[in-house]
Amino acid sequence: MKRLRIILWLLVGLAALAAGGLFLTRSHQSSQNVQGPDAIGLGIGGPFTLIGGDGHPFASTRLNGKAHAIFFGFTHCPDVCPTTLARLVRLRRELASKDDAFTIVFITVDPERDGPAEVASYARLFNAPVIGLTGSPAQIAQVKKQFGIFSQRVPDKSGGYSVDHSAAVLLFGKTGRFQSTIAPDEADSVALDKLKRVTGNS
């Protein structure tokens, strides 16, 4: 009986270690997703077709020949999303006297609440040519996969929900090749240097 008890405790211990390892792996993956990849040639991106704020299909080919910054968020986001988009608008104006230094693209991770009208209205809040995109849940799931984006619903006390999501901005050159990211806690000077390289204004 004593030997059996020891074996059972060993099995419990091994199970706990395995569970801990799985938790650490998932936490590490989530951390990487939130910060975003910061290296060239990781297969980030690819062609896509979503729905623009005008209700019509928007193909990624419309970004050809333009440096662009893509940010995934949602219109009910209380802080990170509006702060990030406002920062991108400000950095673009610092980079050039006109608003075509690079294109800002906002893709919702909450397609159930963010339809074309919602993303269009949200984009207009920034008084700059921000492109707002949405799509079906399946379309958004596919684009998130292509761009290495993490998001998940988090229920709130009111019976609704918020969305945890990757907070990095993804930067692409004029050829559509992934170049780098801008993290939320990065200094503006560092972000601006990255944008200069991506746009060819260095």
Side-chain angles (χ1 to χ4, degrees):
M1 181 65 70
K2 184 177 181 181
R3 184 178 179 185
L4 179 60
R5 190 174 299 165
I6 292 172
I7 291 173
L8 288 174
W9 276 113
L10 285 173
L11 290 173
V12 170
L14 288 173
L17 286 173
L22 180 61
F23 174 76
L24 289 173
T25 299
R26 287 178 175 172
S27 296
H28 178 62
Q29 288 173 341
S30 295
S31 175
Q32 284 184 322
N33 283 330
V34 170
Q35 293 179 9
D38 197 9
I40 296 174
L42 295 181
I44 302 297
F48 64 83
T49 299
L50 292 172
I51 304 300
D54 57 3
H56 297 299
F58 182 98
S60 56
T61 52
R62 292 173 62 176
L63 299 172
N64 289 351
K66 304 173 184 177
H68 50 284
I70 298 181
F71 178 70
F72 287 77
F74 64 113
T75 65
H76 289 73
C77 180
D79 41 37
V80 174
C81 300
T83 299
T84 299
L85 290 171
R87 182 189 188 199
L88 283 174
V89 169
R90 176 169 49 79
L91 290 173
R92 180 168 58 183
R93 287 172 178 163
E94 288 182 22
L95 190 63
S97 58
K98 49 188 178 180
D99 276 336
D100 62 356
F102 62 92
T103 300
I104 299 174
V105 181
F106 167 75
I107 301 178
T108 184
V109 294
D110 186 17
E112 289 83 357
R113 291 187 296 191
D114 293 342
E118 285 75 22
V119 295
S121 177
Y122 191 69
R124 286 195 294 269
L125 293 175
F126 300 95
N127 296 315
V130 176
I131 298 172
L133 299 177
T134 185
S136 69
Q139 286 176 311
I140 295 299
Q142 176 59 36
V143 173
K144 288 196 308 177
K145 183 178 179 181
Q146 287 177 222
F147 288 81
I149 297 300
F150 162 84
S151 74
Q152 67 178 11
R153 288 191 185 189
V154 179
D156 59 32
K157 295 179 180 178
S158 68
Y161 66 90
S162 183
V163 183
D164 283 349
H165 62 90
S166 304
V169 175
L170 306 179
L171 301 180
F172 295 83
K174 295 178 181 179
T175 64
R177 181 178 172 80
F178 171 71
Q179 297 291 324
S180 188
T181 64
I182 297 175
D185 57 352
E186 250 178 333
D188 280 358
S189 58
V190 176
L192 203 55
D193 284 343
K194 289 182 178 182
L195 287 168
K196 287 178 179 178
R197 290 195 296 271
V198 169
T199 60
N201 288 321
S202 55

